[in-house]
Amino acid sequence: MCGIVGYIGKKNAYQILIDGLKRLEYRGYDSAGISIINNNSKIVAFKQKGKVSEVESAIDSSEFTGNIGIGHTRWATHGEPNDVNAHPHFDMDENIIIVHNGIIENYKTLQKFLSGEGFTNRSETDTEILANLMNYYYRQTKNFEQAVRNSLNDVEGTYGVACLCAKEPDRIIVARKGSPLMLGVSMEEIIIASDASAIINHTKNVMYLEDGEMAVLTKQGFQLKTIKDEDIYREIQELDFELSEIEKGGFEHFMLKEICEQSDSIQNTYRGRINFDTGVARLGGLEPVMEKILNAKRILITACGTAWHAGLTGEYMLESCARIPVEVDYASEFRYRNPIIYPDDVVFVISQSGETADTLSALREAKNNGATTVGIVNAVGSTIAREVDAGTYIHAGPEIGVASTKAFTCQLMSLTLISMMLAEAKGAMDSENLKRIADEIKMLPEKIQTMIDRREEYKFIAEEFKDARNFLYLGRGYNFPAALEGALKLKEISYIHAEGYPAAEMKHGPIALIDENMPVVFIAPKDKTYDKIISNIEEVKARKGRIISIAFEDDDQIAQYSDFVLRVPKTINILTPIINSIPLQFLAYYIATARGCNVDQPRNLAKSVTVE
Ligand code: M6R
């Protein structure tokens, strides 16, 4: 949610900032801007509504020569996306200029105070108020660092912030509270970024700022402190992915690339974690809290969006395999409804980015109440990964497409492994059944690949339905959350209204929507509810709905009830949501591209939602 980049070193900052913003654009893309301390030690800035490439075309880069600078790509929170509200923001005297992610919650109080001091605003943003506050303190202290520190101590809310000062043009000051920020550190330069994708092409050596910390960066190095002015020393860490993983690699979109990576990403999730001879799964990251989990009376799962759908599937998996009661909550609701949390509860927190503000708050709520917390996270070193008591990385690799695809299936695979591990430890499943799941997992990558190889089939169906105005997605059991996820994918990238329901729930309301214009996607694996699903299909058919079924290759009944059938390889029940998600992702992708939508940057969305 908004991207921040910054550079200080010996190179010309301009192109580094523009390239960094392009890599961060998946985090927000309604406007962008940069600011540089030029060779005459003056601050120059440019910002406008639109994509980074449009900003790049509009800038006269010859005016932007200098080797210290900051940049921003925005996802609007306060104030509509326009040129004035774009970042960076100068204070009224044009002494301090800042880029900011997050929300200054007490901006109205601060604004009132500052207007009493004669400060005025040009924009509608909370960020400009922070810039004015910094300059208010600069006027008093004549010290940039002190001015930033004083201001941050007055602020309520969240920030990742990078600041330049015309009167102290040799430095950048950055700070973080609730909005991620990291430094890429090498001998001659420092890159600032809100995530590693803008750093990896410069260095793998990074240092994450923690909440309440600030750093003063000069060409000689950096000093890390708390905003209360205490010195901090922290080890540099190494990023664990390669540049090629965040590039499109010949695919038209990141989303398509990431859908097509799932044969590999699934293997990366389970690699080294299953003994295929015995069916025993082991996740080393969970070992420290195994005792707690095994003694827990219940597991709570909390997450947002796609990760919440994975959590719902996890409820079915954990209850069925390990026989532990599970409750699943939207993180945003969990946090604010004063939940009952017992010290012997174990709370699973699922997040691709590891930075989602609602999920992070839910995690902190659980910890404050004494529960044991377990992360199921993709982004290595992210805030959630660092704050949980224990956890497992899903190893999906960087996910750049705003619509989550491979992270979802890898979250499902992680939850399968956790369910197997707990089932074995609790003696809730015999070794024959565990071995059967393990055998099927081993075959999954090949099965996924067969679907990827014949993706053109899904394209044909997408052409047929690209003009639909609504869609229903129905599934049962493990495939009810898959139906929710299929509907979310379509909504997010094609802007077609879509709803997911448990198939049997349809007759309790949604059936009123069915007519000849309503496509209904049925997820229909041959499991114990198959006959019921066929009845539900007939109910839709009787009302002239158009049926798209997702069914096993050897299902010779389904075609007679369906207008279209998307065939998937046969697998066991627990793995069907993974298998069925692949055609659902392709369906959404091809419908969206047939409608001419920008699937990697869908309107109003951002990859990582770091505001509540
Ligand atoms: O990074 P997280 O997994 O915590 O993100 C949660 C949701 O914001 C995310 O899954 C969102 O719903 C995606 N746009 C889904 O495609």
Side-chain angles (χ1 to χ4, degrees), residues 304-307 350-356 359 384 402-404 411 485 488-489 492 605-609:
C304 300
T306 289
I350 308 177
S351 176
Q352 185 286 126
S353 62
E355 302 292 352
T356 301
T359 313
I384 291 175
V402 168
S404 187
Q411 285 160 350
E485 175 61 10
L488 178 64
K489 284 294 84 91
E492 283 187 297
L605 293 178
K607 181 65 181 164
S608 172
V609 185

Side-chain angles (χ1 to χ4, degrees), residues 104-227:
I104 307 299
E105 285 166 5
N106 60 339
Y107 76 99
K108 284 208 166 120
T109 318
L110 294 172
Q111 184 174 22
K112 204 167 159 203
F113 166 75
L114 288 165
S115 61
E117 296 293 322
F119 282 87
T120 54
N121 304 308
R122 305 173 190 91
S123 76
E124 303 158 282
T125 65
D126 52 343
T127 302
E128 189 184 7
I129 290 158
L130 180 57
N132 272 336
L133 186 65
M134 287 179 182
N135 198 48
Y136 163 79
Y137 281 119
Y138 190 87
R139 285 181 187 175
Q140 292 184 345
T141 61
K142 303 282 180 273
N143 180 310
F144 181 25
E145 184 182 333
Q146 195 58 46
V148 172
R149 176 172 299 113
N150 289 358
S151 307
L152 297 180
N153 279 299
D154 284 354
V155 155
E156 286 164 22
T158 55
Y159 52 80
V161 71
C163 324
L164 301 176
C165 177
K167 300 220 170 81
E168 296 186 31
D170 64 334
R171 59 196 56 209
I172 305 178
I173 299 185
V174 295
R176 172 211 156 124
K177 184 183 163 208
S179 217
L181 211 56
M182 57 187 2
L183 305 180
V185 185
S186 64
M187 291 299 280
E188 303 210 313
E189 60 190 12
I190 301 171
I191 317 284
I192 301 152
S194 44
D195 79 53
S197 57
I199 291 183
I200 183 87
N201 55 329
H202 299 280
T203 177
K204 282 192 151 195
N205 295 331
V206 295
M207 206 209 59
Y208 298 91
L209 262 71
E210 299 287 354
D211 280 353
E213 292 179 357
M214 58 190 277
V216 180
L217 282 50
T218 62
K219 288 184 183 168
Q220 286 69 50
F222 70 93
Q223 241 190 325
L224 182 64
K225 294 181 174 185
T226 67
I227 62 165

Side-chain angles (χ1 to χ4, degrees), residues 251 260 451-459 586 590:
F251 285 89
C260 293
M451 291 185 283
I452 292 168
D453 292 343
R454 55 173 207 240
R455 56 185 183 267
E456 290 295 314
E457 287 174 26
Y458 310 127
K459 200 169 185 175
F586 277 126
Y590 284 124

Side-chain angles (χ1 to χ4, degrees), residues 48-319:
Q48 71 172 35
K49 182 179 174 192
K51 303 247 188 288
V52 176
S53 56
E54 296 168 65
V55 170
E56 188 182 16
S57 316
I59 272 184
D60 175 2
S61 60
S62 64
E63 287 179 15
F64 284 76
T65 44
N67 30 45
I68 301 178
I70 55 178
H72 190 265
T73 175
R74 179 171 188 245
W75 183 90
T77 57
H78 288 66
E80 65 167 289
N82 60 27
D83 293 355
V84 180
N85 289 335
H87 295 216
H89 286 279
F90 259 127
D91 76 278
M92 196 183 81
D93 296 346
E94 303 207 340
N95 177 35
I96 291 178
I97 190 163
I98 69 173
V99 291
H100 164 230
N101 291 350
I103 295 179
I104 307 299
E105 285 166 5
N106 60 339
Y107 76 99
K108 284 208 166 120
T109 318
L110 294 172
Q111 184 174 22
K112 204 167 159 203
F113 166 75
L114 288 165
S115 61
E117 296 293 322
F119 282 87
T120 54
N121 304 308
R122 305 173 190 91
S123 76
E124 303 158 282
T125 65
D126 52 343
T127 302
E128 189 184 7
I129 290 158
L130 180 57
N132 272 336
L133 186 65
M134 287 179 182
N135 198 48
Y136 163 79
Y137 281 119
Y138 190 87
R139 285 181 187 175
Q140 292 184 345
T141 61
K142 303 282 180 273
N143 180 310
F144 181 25
E145 184 182 333
Q146 195 58 46
V148 172
R149 176 172 299 113
N150 289 358
S151 307
L152 297 180
N153 279 299
D154 284 354
V155 155
E156 286 164 22
T158 55
Y159 52 80
V161 71
C163 324
L164 301 176
C165 177
K167 300 220 170 81
E168 296 186 31
D170 64 334
R171 59 196 56 209
I172 305 178
I173 299 185
V174 295
R176 172 211 156 124
K177 184 183 163 208
S179 217
L181 211 56
M182 57 187 2
L183 305 180
V185 185
S186 64
M187 291 299 280
E188 303 210 313
E189 60 190 12
I190 301 171
I191 317 284
I192 301 152
S194 44
D195 79 53
S197 57
I199 291 183
I200 183 87
N201 55 329
H202 299 280
T203 177
K204 282 192 151 195
N205 295 331
V206 295
M207 206 209 59
Y208 298 91
L209 262 71
E210 299 287 354
D211 280 353
E213 292 179 357
M214 58 190 277
V216 180
L217 282 50
T218 62
K219 288 184 183 168
Q220 286 69 50
F222 70 93
Q223 241 190 325
L224 182 64
K225 294 181 174 185
T226 67
I227 62 165
K228 304 282 179 214
D229 206 13
E230 298 137 337
D231 288 327
I232 301 171
Y233 173 76
R234 178 156 316 123
E235 297 272 336
I236 301 285
Q237 298 182 29
E238 195 171 327
L239 290 174
D240 75 333
F241 64 92
E242 303 297 328
L243 182 58
S244 60
E245 291 182 66
I246 56 161
E247 298 192 321
K248 280 192 203 151
F251 285 89
E252 200 179 335
H253 296 103
F254 280 112
M255 182 180 178
L256 183 61
K257 175 182 176 237
E258 287 158 8
I259 296 173
C260 293
E261 278 172 355
Q262 289 174 103
S263 168
D264 290 338
S265 57
I266 283 284
Q267 277 186 75
N268 291 339
T269 306
Y270 70 69
R271 179 170 293 119
R273 290 165 160 178
I274 302 183
N275 180 333
F276 286 103
D277 295 330
T278 60
V280 171
R282 281 278 171 274
L283 293 158
L286 261 58
E287 298 286 0
V289 295
M290 263 311 261
E291 203 60 34
K292 294 257 189 197
I293 303 179
L294 294 175
N295 291 326
K297 290 195 191 66
R298 61 175 185 168
I299 290 173
L300 306 176
I301 302 180
T302 185
C304 300
T306 289
W308 182 76
H309 297 154
L312 276 185
T313 323
E315 177 179 17
Y316 286 82
M317 292 175 175
L318 289 159
E319 291 197 341

